[in-house]
Amino acid sequence: FKETIDYINNLVGLLVNAYVETRCLALSALVSKQDGFAIYSFLFQTPDTSNGAADALVSFAMNFTDGEANIKSINRISSNIMQITFTV
């Protein structure tokens, strides 16, 4: 549990100013473990919520995990907030 909390704190610190290709700003990050998998959930503020923004989030997930991400969902939370969840 402490390991997960430490990792979350480091991750959020790294993502404060992180941008994806379409200038998506990471607002928050959450990581948990379930059935031996790490589950990541990121909230992004996006300049638009077109397919391009979703593609940028997929690209982020794949780069973040060195191509090992298994995308679970990409949701539009509001007009300019999107969430991506994936496992590794």
Side-chain angles (χ1 to χ4, degrees):
F1 179 75
K2 184 183 180 319
E3 176 188 358
T4 301
I5 294 297
D6 290 342
Y7 187 74
I8 289 170
N9 290 335
N10 291 336
L11 190 59
V12 172
L14 289 171
L15 289 173
V16 168
N17 293 318
Y19 282 88
V20 187
E21 295 164 11
T22 57
R23 298 180 302 128
C24 298
L25 174 65
L27 300 176
S28 67
L30 175 67
V31 60
S32 60
K33 290 184 178 179
Q34 184 178 31
D35 299 328
F37 292 96
I39 301 172
Y40 298 90
S41 182
F42 293 93
L43 206 60
F44 287 93
Q45 183 175 22
T46 62
D48 64 72
T49 52
S50 66
N51 288 337
D55 290 345
L57 297 189
V58 171
S59 177
F60 166 81
M62 299 311 282
N63 289 335
F64 180 81
T65 62
D66 294 327
E68 297 295 323
N70 181 11
I71 308 299
K72 293 295 185 186
S73 65
I74 299 176
N75 299 306
R76 184 169 71 175
I77 306 301
S78 66
S79 62
N80 66 337
I81 304 292
M82 293 181 76
Q83 179 185 38
I84 182 169
T85 302
F86 54 91
T87 60
V88 177

